[in-house]
Amino acid sequence: MNDRPSTAVLDAVLERLTYVNEETGYTVARVATERGTDLLTVVGALLGAQCGESLRLRGRWSSHPRYGRQFEVDSYTTVLPATVQGIQRYLGSGLVKGIGPVFAERIVAHFGLDTLRVIEEESARLVEVPGLGPKRTAKITAAWEEQKSIKEVMVFLQGVGVSTSLAVRIYKQYGDTAVDVVTAEPYRLAADVWGIGFKTADTIARSVGIPHDSPERVKAGLAYTLSEATDDGHCYLPVPQLVTEAVKILDVPADLVSTCLDDLVGEEGVVRETLPAEAAPAGRATDGAPIEAVYLVPFHRAEQSLAGSLLRLLHGTADRMPHFGTVDWTKALAWLRARTGAELAPEQKQAVRLALTSKVAVLTGGPGCGKSFTVRSIVELAAAKQAKVTLVAPTGRAAKRLAELTGHPAATVHRLLQLRPGGDAAHDRDNPLDVDLLVVDEASMLDLVLANKLVKAVPPGAHLLLVGDVDQLPSVGAGEVLRDLLAAEAVPRVRLTRIFRQAAESGVVTNAHRINAGRPPLFDRMTDFFLFACDDTEATAALTVDVAYDRIPAKFGLDPRRDVQVLTPMHRGPAGAGALNTLLQQRLTPAREGQPERRMGGRVFRVGDKVTQIRNNYDKGQAGVFNGTVGVVVALSTEEQTLTVRTDEDETIEYDFDELDELTHAYAVTIHRSQGSEYPAVVVPLTTSAWMMLQRNLLYTAVTRARKLVVLVGSRRALAAAVRTVGAGRRHTALTHRLAGPQPRIR
């Protein structure tokens, strides 16, 4: 006998969202119905619904032992409200661009129950409402039409398992052809629409009847497998690994995957190339056999192009700084000493000479070893000879710090290249930068694609100096450019190893080097490096918030929003960035009566929130807004449906509400996301629940983000695991190999 309650339908207005789990979509909300004055509790799949919307909920009634009677939602659709109060609430909630609470009240007072019909059929009459001129009326009409079109697409998309937020994005990508594309070419969505991967496209494809063993499905799955590999940092995958991983994802026979891979190569959807065994990264054995490597086309082109550009710079006969080939270095270094008031160490002198006489050079070393002073010395000497010097870094924070350290202007790579919509650069091989010496700081962050764009823009004869700490985490994007260059015999390099006395007195510097050497950090008598031991994961999260919000500001006078950064190994889990951001937001920017806010999925945005961009968007700002850009929310308008962020680069960026999935809170960020940034103080939760992520270079990177203070919170066992674990094998890249000799055979 089936005791499960029968399906019911509940019509209600969504009044408030009590809890939203962004990862699962599970939502707890309070709704109002026409039948009663008390709000009802609904739970279940409500991700994407907004306060003020009238919903038709399908599900069943149940009784929770603690929370009482509630409605469990299986699915929902939005409907137009039918009462004057409902219409006013709906229009005043910010769901229709251009109408806020004030105009909603005026419009409904004028048209009553006829309001929605007037907007739909006679929108020109809106000018009858006091304060509504032709301009705002036109804006409301356009917003209503778009909302209506999106709703029609949503009805279809919800039927094939697509969430509301993705439905909006699909509509914006394809407009009125959205349903046709989704029906006939669902796998296009994974390539065309940000936030939709193969798995979502595959669910849609199954709903519209595309066979499980369709060649189009298998080829899309192969492209997805390679795309996932690039997200993990690999430039290519060996054929056996690609086939094995695609079989797991697709659940089809390996021979079908191999056949479709051959077809994909023939269609030039991917590139297959034979690399010699010695091209394999360290830690990835090939038993001496050649590697059958498969690349997505853009990454293959970028790797070949970057190698070619570097070799042309290295071996070109032109030299835009020829005077340093004949300079009297004793005199030059004496002049420099008088200029800066400090003596360079022998390895620093070597680095200065190398950067000014070699067309391509790499400078690496850990904290406290004098990289910054060496760069300043190089810039001083180059500028003394009237050389055109340009300084860049991958992030706005890193560029700002580089400018402070050298006294010379610095820009981000993206701004220097003037990247345009689509990712093309204004400066490239045909329109190179006007520069004699280009210095790139935090080069460990440079991924393959960005490094290729940058080096392509360096003119013949110019000098390129890449500066970074190779022991930090590699780039978020595909490639290991700094490590690959250091492994290439053709590229000159200097590694600074001497820790200067003043730096050696810092617990942050001392412990960073101990961690990098596989030794546990010291805490006794340290005034800038602490451990708050705690074994329970949830207690660690609470203690992390307490340390960041209360204890550090009280003891050191630092601002918890501006000066303190929580860095965590993982995004998920009780001590992950997601949960910590929720806890920190409750302390720093709690909900306040009368203050506007906007929910996007499981996140709520408020004025004062610290946020970060999570994708490259070349269409925003003066020269795009890029993954990792940090800022503060300075304005939020429910009427105009916009949120405004002031970034670390002092640029004001406006987001429409349907673009807010490009932002996430940044009170706590993953250590990967913190690369290239420095903060006065960092707080790092370490728990055994993050066991797979506890690796030496992860902890080393977190510690080296701090200028003044490090506080570790959590388990001594987790700390010990992070210090002793060297990490998995290297990424699949072939840049070092390409810099060594002739180009390999392609087929």
Side-chain angles (χ1 to χ4, degrees), residues 545-623:
V545 172
D546 185 45
V547 166
Y549 180 75
D550 289 319
R551 300 195 192 193
I552 289 177
K555 184 174 177 62
F556 296 96
L558 297 175
D559 182 273
R561 184 187 281 104
R562 186 185 64 244
D563 300 328
V564 182
Q565 184 62 56
V566 175
L567 302 179
T568 171
M570 299 178 70
H571 179 76
R572 297 185 177 186
L580 287 169
N581 270 316
T582 300
L583 294 172
L584 284 161
Q585 186 192 35
Q586 287 168 4
R587 296 283 193 101
L588 286 157
T589 49
R592 289 189 171 89
E593 189 70 37
Q595 293 299 307
E597 60 180 43
R598 177 65 177 186
R599 182 175 291 277
M600 168 55 72
R603 299 190 289 274
V604 180
F605 292 98
R606 303 183 183 116
V607 172
D609 274 340
K610 186 176 179 180
V611 293
T612 183
Q613 177 84 9
I614 57 174
R615 67 171 288 226
N616 289 344
N617 187 331
Y618 298 98
D619 298 316
K620 285 207 164 295
Q622 295 174 354

Side-chain angles (χ1 to χ4, degrees), residues 718-747:
L719 172 59
V723 170
R724 71 169 178 264
T725 305
V726 175
R730 294 261 311 282
R731 296 176 170 189
H732 288 298
T733 72
L735 181 60
T736 301
H737 166 69
R738 296 186 195 283
L739 289 167
Q743 295 299 297
R745 180 167 50 91
I746 301 170
R747 61 183 176 86

Side-chain angles (χ1 to χ4, degrees), residues 410-626:
T412 62
V413 177
H414 300 91
R415 290 195 183 280
L416 178 72
L417 296 177
Q418 296 173 39
L419 292 182
R420 298 162 171 165
D424 291 330
H427 292 288
D428 55 18
R429 191 164 292 135
D430 297 325
N431 181 31
L433 299 161
D434 184 14
V435 61
D436 300 326
L437 171 64
L438 178 63
V439 180
V440 187
D441 198 17
E442 293 287 356
S444 62
M445 287 186 67
L446 278 184
D447 62 52
L448 174 67
V449 172
L450 187 59
N452 176 48
K453 290 180 192 296
L454 178 62
V455 178
K456 257 200 304 197
V458 179
H463 291 228
L464 172 66
L465 174 64
L466 295 147
V467 184
D469 185 347
V470 75
D471 295 317
Q472 288 182 21
L473 289 168
S475 57
V476 174
E480 251 180 327
V481 173
L482 184 63
R483 187 177 294 278
D484 286 349
L485 291 180
L486 284 166
E489 291 182 11
V491 180
R493 83 293 307 273
V494 172
R495 181 162 194 155
L496 304 179
T497 56
R498 174 187 162 190
I499 304 173
F500 288 87
R501 184 170 57 81
Q502 187 177 355
E505 294 169 0
S506 158
V508 175
V509 171
T510 298
N511 282 332
H513 284 277
R514 287 182 65 87
I515 290 165
N516 200 32
R519 292 183 291 162
L522 302 172
F523 300 103
D524 290 344
R525 298 184 301 281
M526 291 289 178
T527 58
D528 60 355
F529 205 103
F530 302 91
L531 170 67
F532 285 78
C534 181
D535 288 328
D536 179 77
T537 299
E538 292 192 4
T540 294
L543 184 54
T544 297
V545 172
D546 185 45
V547 166
Y549 180 75
D550 289 319
R551 300 195 192 193
I552 289 177
K555 184 174 177 62
F556 296 96
L558 297 175
D559 182 273
R561 184 187 281 104
R562 186 185 64 244
D563 300 328
V564 182
Q565 184 62 56
V566 175
L567 302 179
T568 171
M570 299 178 70
H571 179 76
R572 297 185 177 186
L580 287 169
N581 270 316
T582 300
L583 294 172
L584 284 161
Q585 186 192 35
Q586 287 168 4
R587 296 283 193 101
L588 286 157
T589 49
R592 289 189 171 89
E593 189 70 37
Q595 293 299 307
E597 60 180 43
R598 177 65 177 186
R599 182 175 291 277
M600 168 55 72
R603 299 190 289 274
V604 180
F605 292 98
R606 303 183 183 116
V607 172
D609 274 340
K610 186 176 179 180
V611 293
T612 183
Q613 177 84 9
I614 57 174
R615 67 171 288 226
N616 289 344
N617 187 331
Y618 298 98
D619 298 316
K620 285 207 164 295
Q622 295 174 354
V625 185
F626 301 97

Side-chain angles (χ1 to χ4, degrees), residues 167-187:
V168 170
R169 215 175 295 137
I170 290 169
Y171 176 80
K172 287 202 173 293
Q173 177 72 30
Y174 302 116
D176 294 336
T177 65
V179 173
D180 293 337
V181 171
V182 170
T183 305
E185 304 174 89
Y187 293 107

Side-chain angles (χ1 to χ4, degrees), residues 642-706:
T642 58
L643 176 148
T644 307
V645 174
R646 186 73 179 170
T647 73
D648 274 356
E649 296 175 54
D650 296 324
E651 186 177 7
T652 300
I653 307 292
E654 192 172 272
Y655 294 80
D656 288 336
F657 280 173
D658 58 23
E659 297 175 311
L660 293 185
D661 50 4
E662 295 186 16
L663 291 175
T664 189
H665 293 99
Y667 301 108
V669 299
T670 61
I671 296 168
H672 278 90
R673 191 162 276 284
S674 73
Q675 287 171 265
S677 295
E678 254 192 10
Y679 316 94
V682 301
V683 183
V684 187
L686 295 170
T687 68
T688 51
S689 64
W691 198 259
M692 294 299 291
M693 297 297 292
L694 295 175
Q695 295 176 5
R696 187 181 301 167
N697 62 351
L698 194 84
L699 180 58
Y700 174 74
T701 299
V703 168
T704 55
R705 299 307 86 212

